Amino acid sequence: MPDNSRYSAHIGYLFNELPLESRIAAARAAGFSAIEHPAPYAVPAADMAALLREAGLPYVQFGLRSGDASRGEKGIAIFPDRRDEFRANLAEGLDYAEAVGVRMLHAMAGVLPAAEWRPEHRACYLENLGLAAEEAGKRGIRIIVEAMSPGAVPDYFLPTAASAREAIAEAGHANLGLLLDVFHTVAAGDDPVQAIHDSGETIAHVHIADHPGRHEPGSGRIDFAAVRSALDAIGYAGFIGCEYVPAGVTADGLGWLPRRA
């Protein structure tokens, strides 16, 4: 993979043996050059901004509120009866992002069995994506879209990178980008190298974890040298988000991470 100056620690997964407020400094000490977390709202934005300044790290991306996790919800953007909730979450997310310097927000689609999909679900999703992209663009923030594989997130509305690209294209707004997750791509049965080339400049952010197991790079069968070459070939210069489940204590599994000189 690329040099460590491009690695972002996903502190929803990494360093989770520590309180959230302590994970940013831990990521910096371990050699990461950015952090991300899907749901930072428990930490007031002013406090988060202070922690980031102290560590000297940027916060790459987080998500809009995604519903009730205890009910298995992974986004609400596809549900017509929750439009107002989506808009309120968007306003809150944009305010938080602006306060802490985040330039990408993930708007999760939602979980719904395919047998229950109706045209109004897709229409609502595309409408919400367009609205989010428009409002985020006014603040210099980009909306990103991610696919989640059926094995990891059953019934997620966007199960493959191709389906995420199709939604972005159909929404038709220049302020939308793809969060390409290498683990989800492989778990869905697709070739990550081909997905990178197919996605090209649509890619706004990248997540990595090995497969199977979703652990550290090098723990499974993904060819990360080939992934690196493909990203270089399309000119990707963004951060590589490390969204994996540590096999043990996070710091003990960082032998794969290049150290700063």
Side-chain angles (χ1 to χ4, degrees):
M1 293 302 300
D3 65 87
N4 64 315
S5 66
R6 291 170 61 191
Y7 283 109
S8 168
H10 189 299
I11 59 172
Y13 284 77
L14 306 189
F15 305 104
N16 60 10
E17 60 271 12
L18 302 172
L20 178 57
E21 294 89 339
S22 300
R23 296 177 202 173
I24 299 171
R28 178 69 175 84
F32 289 97
S33 294
I35 62 99
E36 53 195 271
H37 187 282
Y41 303 102
V43 179
D47 294 347
M48 180 63 76
L51 291 168
L52 293 166
R53 285 195 300 271
E54 184 177 351
L57 296 183
Y59 194 146
V60 179
Q61 65 88 23
F62 66 87
L64 302 182
R65 289 190 188 270
S66 56
D68 186 347
S70 70
R71 297 171 55 192
E73 293 185 338
K74 287 278 190 179
I76 62 171
I78 62 174
F79 299 112
D81 61 343
R82 299 178 78 171
R83 278 188 174 92
D84 289 345
E85 184 181 355
F86 179 86
R87 293 182 181 212
N89 291 347
L90 174 63
E92 178 190 25
L94 289 172
D95 285 346
Y96 194 105
E98 198 166 37
V100 302
V102 167
R103 290 292 171 258
M104 288 187 287
L105 280 181
H106 180 200
M108 287 190 184
V111 170
L112 188 69
E116 299 177 25
W117 290 4
R118 300 291 181 267
E120 55 265 32
H121 292 119
R122 188 168 187 84
C124 180
Y125 181 53
L126 296 176
E127 174 191 318
N128 281 331
L129 279 185
L131 170 69
E134 187 68 26
E135 292 302 311
K138 296 174 184 177
R139 307 199 200 190
I141 297 168
R142 194 175 190 186
I143 298 297
I144 53 177
V145 175
E146 180 184 18
M148 299 184 191
S149 56
V153 185
D155 298 321
Y156 192 68
F157 198 68
L158 302 173
T160 65
S163 66
R165 290 195 304 269
E166 289 166 6
I168 290 169
E170 194 171 347
H173 200 291
N175 197 35
L176 294 171
L178 176 67
L179 194 175
L180 182 74
D181 188 298
V182 172
F183 168 82
H184 282 304
T185 300
V186 173
D190 294 328
D191 176 1
V193 170
Q194 188 62 53
I196 289 167
H197 286 291
D198 289 345
S199 302
E201 62 184 21
T202 304
I203 297 175
H205 190 46
V206 173
H207 276 165
I208 60 168
D210 219 329
H211 183 277
R214 203 170 187 174
H215 297 310
E216 291 86 347
S219 62
R221 63 182 179 85
I222 295 177
D223 183 349
F224 285 105
V227 169
R228 176 199 61 205
S229 295
L231 290 171
D232 289 345
I234 66 165
Y236 179 74
F239 285 104
I240 309 295
C242 300
E243 190 189 44
Y244 63 79
V245 179
V249 175
T250 302
D252 293 343
L254 293 176
W256 63 271
L257 180 67
R259 306 300 297 179
R260 286 191 178 88

